[in-house]
Amino acid sequence: MVPLAIIFLLFPTLLIILGMLLSLRNGGNETSKRGLNIPPGSMGWPFLGETIAFRKLHPSTTLGQYMEHRVQRYGKIYKSNLFGSPTVVSADAELNRFVLMNDGKLFEPSWPKSVEDILGKTSMLVVTGEMHRYMKSLSVNFMGIARLRNHFLGDSEKYILENLALWKEGVSFPAKEEACKITFNLMVKNILSMNPGEPETERLRMLYMSFMKGVIAIPLNLPGTAYRKAIQSRATILKAIECLMEDRIAKKKAGTDEIGEADLLGFVLEQSNLDAGQFGDLLLGLLFGGHETSSTAITLAVYFLEQCPKAVQQLREEHLNLVRKKKHRGESSALTWEDYKSMDFAQCVVSETLRLGNIIKFVHRKAVTDVQFKGYDIPKGWSVIPVFAAAHLDPTVYENPQKFDPWRWQTISSSTARIDNYMPFGQGLRNCAGLELAKMEIALFLHHLVLNFDWELAEPDHPLAYAFPEFDKGLPIKVRKLSILEE
């Protein structure tokens, strides 16, 4: 009886799996009948395809064994079966750009359902059409150049200095956690006017950390799993957002709201009709794009520079010279937008960190119609995965691509580094709205880091290619305080 009961309970699941297998097989037969020239490749195991091999952890500064072997065997464009769908994987920079520039026309987002369930139905990563354009416009306005100059720059420097002031010499601490505190405080201050260190802010930070762990976890919605905890954290965050919105609305009606449109919540209440759920999805999307990318990039910069003392020395000379010029002119020590834009070598370090670190390795898309490119056909309904890291690590574009070499950006020509070959945060309609914010935060952090500290790794740690590059130990470092600003 027990085996029969188990078969009865599993029967719906078995039917779904069988249906997916038949769909994949029939999809292959259908493309053959239509005479389509599908890229070469292997569909792997039934149902699982090559997903396990594709997701196998590897250093984020490499393509990983799976990609390297497939590209060597089949070329830069090949077929596979990933995440339950027939897929065209692209390590071709021109196809990657073609896919991104035709978002909303020939392609649309196609994230695994587990990711969509965590990010939310109205997340910018998920929605299409007018709703995406509207959410993107809110994000671009929120993190646009004007707000970077007038709000984010000053707040960034404030939170960086407050954080660095707490660092103790000779004591090991995780650099990633410190970077996360800085970028999280910056975002929630500008989104919700929440202040660092307050119980509500810390509670929201812990909930968000749990949420992020679920994004990269195996999607098992079972008690105790990271995925289940992320779903629960998301629900708690959305409830907190709803309470904040109700409180702000009540204060506006009573005439006691002193914040107005100074933060994103106030702007949304005045200028849009988003409900609490939609604003919560926007908030999580902005934290995902404006906090996670920045904190990861800062940690990667600390990691790469620790191995390149020559770059640290040149950075230190550049920024010490900047401080001396400001002092000579009688200016405040606070950094300005013009100061930031004058950080030439820091910009080279930022560009190289984003290239080699591969913060966003790939994205998920789906063909909404049959598409032809370079003699290959991508059938309607097939998934497409553009792998940005492939261009960043291409030796025909970047000499010695796995070496951290910020000086390459001083001499690199437009012909060898076309826009196709450098896409740290994507391109087109769905490029990351937080790109400029991330670049500014890294530069400001580096300014104060190299002028105040030397550092070394407390123990070996390396960036691994999860959804974002992750350091298993959080990149533990030890610092030594400098006194060069007092000389």
Side-chain angles (χ1 to χ4, degrees):
M1 290 296 293
V2 175
L4 286 175
I6 293 174
I7 291 173
F8 178 77
L9 290 171
L10 291 178
F11 187 68
T13 304
L14 292 172
L15 279 179
I16 292 171
I17 292 174
L18 180 61
M20 293 183 72
L21 290 173
L22 289 173
S23 174
L24 284 172
R25 197 182 94 178
N26 291 339
N29 292 339
E30 179 64 23
T31 55
S32 297
K33 290 176 184 177
R34 291 163 57 196
L36 299 181
N37 183 28
I38 309 298
S42 168
M43 303 306 276
W45 293 91
F47 183 61
L48 285 176
E50 298 184 316
T51 305
I52 294 175
F54 182 80
R55 291 193 58 169
K56 186 177 180 180
L57 286 181
H58 58 272
S60 69
T61 54
T62 71
L63 283 180
Q65 191 178 61
Y66 166 84
M67 279 290 295
E68 288 171 356
H69 284 179
R70 296 307 182 280
V71 170
Q72 185 177 21
R73 182 174 181 182
Y74 302 116
K76 291 185 177 182
I77 303 172
Y78 64 91
K79 71 178 178 183
S80 184
N81 172 17
L82 299 173
F83 306 100
S85 298
T87 303
V88 170
V89 182
S90 171
D92 183 273
E94 292 179 20
L95 177 54
N96 292 350
R97 184 171 187 270
F98 176 78
V99 171
L100 297 182
M101 298 308 291
N102 282 281
D103 254 322
K105 301 172 187 174
L106 304 178
F107 303 94
E108 66 181 13
S110 180
W111 296 93
K113 186 177 183 301
S114 59
V115 176
E116 292 186 8
D117 288 344
I118 289 183
L119 295 177
K121 294 181 180 179
T122 53
S123 167
M124 279 189 297
L125 288 173
V126 176
V127 293
T128 59
E130 287 301 321
M131 188 61 180
H132 172 263
R133 281 187 280 273
Y134 181 64
M135 295 290 247
K136 182 66 178 288
S137 69
L138 287 175
S139 304
V140 169
N141 288 332
F142 174 62
M143 293 187 283
I145 298 299
R147 193 169 182 89
L148 291 186
R149 294 183 65 148
N150 300 325
H151 297 277
F152 280 106
L153 189 147
D155 287 342
S156 292
E157 187 169 30
K158 174 186 175 184
Y159 295 138
I160 288 168
L161 288 171
E162 288 177 354
N163 184 272
L164 296 185
L166 300 175
W167 289 14
K168 296 181 179 179
E169 286 188 289
V171 177
S172 174
F173 61 89
K176 177 62 186 293
E177 185 174 336
E178 299 307 303
C180 283
K181 289 177 183 176
I182 294 169
T183 58
F184 185 85
N185 288 337
L186 176 68
M187 292 302 291
V188 295
K189 167 68 165 58
N190 283 273
I191 296 174
L192 300 169
S193 293
M194 298 177 76
N195 296 313
E198 293 183 352
E200 284 188 3
T201 307
E202 282 302 298
R203 179 169 175 266
L204 183 60
R205 188 172 73 86
M206 297 306 293
L207 285 168
Y208 178 75
M209 288 173 63
S210 175
F211 165 83
M212 273 306 302
K213 287 178 182 177
V215 174
I216 65 174
I218 297 173
L220 292 175
N221 196 3
L222 298 173
T225 62
Y227 186 78
R228 170 68 68 86
K229 290 177 182 177
I231 294 291
Q232 293 169 339
S233 295
R234 170 184 162 76
T236 306
I237 290 171
L238 293 182
K239 185 63 179 176
I241 295 300
E242 186 176 357
C243 291
L244 285 170
M245 291 185 78
E246 290 174 352
D247 180 64
R248 189 76 69 87
I249 290 170
K251 286 181 178 178
K252 288 174 72 66
K253 289 180 178 178
T256 57
D257 176 30
E258 299 179 353
I259 300 173
E261 296 183 28
D263 63 7
L264 184 63
L265 176 56
F267 177 81
V268 165
L269 290 175
E270 284 289 336
Q271 305 292 338
S272 81
N273 57 358
L274 296 184
D275 59 30
Q278 292 169 329
F279 181 73
D281 286 347
L282 178 63
L283 165 70
L284 291 173
L286 289 172
L287 287 175
F288 191 78
H291 155 64
E292 201 64 35
T293 54
S294 297
S295 61
T296 300
I298 287 172
T299 311
L300 285 166
V302 172
Y303 170 76
F304 290 136
L305 286 169
E306 192 272 342
Q307 303 170 60
C308 191
K310 182 182 175 184
V312 174
Q313 183 58 36
Q314 187 162 335
L315 270 175
R316 191 165 284 145
E317 291 171 0
E318 175 180 81
H319 291 273
L320 190 57
N321 187 45
L322 171 61
V323 169
R324 286 169 176 163
K325 284 183 177 179
K326 286 173 70 68
K327 188 175 182 180
H328 179 73
R329 294 193 296 262
E331 296 177 1
S332 164
S333 61
L335 294 171
T336 65
W337 184 258
E338 289 69 29
D339 294 332
Y340 161 58
K341 285 299 186 180
S342 72
M343 300 175 182
D344 294 336
F345 188 66
Q347 300 293 348
C348 293
V349 171
V350 171
S351 295
E352 184 68 350
T353 296
L354 296 178
R355 180 197 68 82
L356 185 56
N358 292 303
I359 294 176
I360 299 177
K361 183 178 179 181
F362 62 87
V363 293
H364 294 264
R365 294 293 184 267
K366 181 172 71 175
V368 297
T369 186
D370 288 347
V371 178
Q372 283 192 332
F373 193 86
K374 288 189 173 180
Y376 289 126
D377 294 297
I378 303 173
K380 176 182 178 180
W382 276 45
S383 294
V384 182
I385 295 184
V387 181
F388 306 143
H392 296 166
L393 300 172
D394 188 341
T396 66
V397 179
Y398 300 102
E399 184 179 352
N400 200 356
Q402 291 183 332
K403 178 183 178 183
F404 180 74
D405 179 10
W407 294 275
R408 75 171 82 241
W409 295 94
Q410 294 178 330
T411 58
I412 205 162
S413 68
S414 59
S415 61
T416 56
R418 298 189 319 275
I419 194 168
D420 298 15
N421 299 308
Y422 185 65
M423 303 183 227
F425 294 117
Q427 282 185 9
L429 292 174
R430 293 182 175 272
N431 69 323
C432 180
L435 171 59
E436 291 302 323
L437 173 61
K439 289 163 64 175
M440 185 188 75
E441 285 185 279
I442 305 168
L444 267 57
F445 178 85
L446 292 177
H447 171 82
H448 290 291
L449 176 67
V450 299
L451 291 180
N452 289 281
F453 295 99
D454 267 331
W455 68 99
E456 63 181 10
L457 295 189
E459 53 184 297
D461 204 3
H462 307 280
L464 297 175
Y466 291 89
F468 284 100
E470 284 287 341
F471 293 85
D472 281 345
K473 301 173 186 176
L475 192 64
I477 62 171
K478 290 182 180 180
V479 299
R480 180 176 65 86
K481 291 185 179 179
L482 303 177
S483 57
I484 56 176
L485 291 176
E486 300 170 6
E487 296 174 359

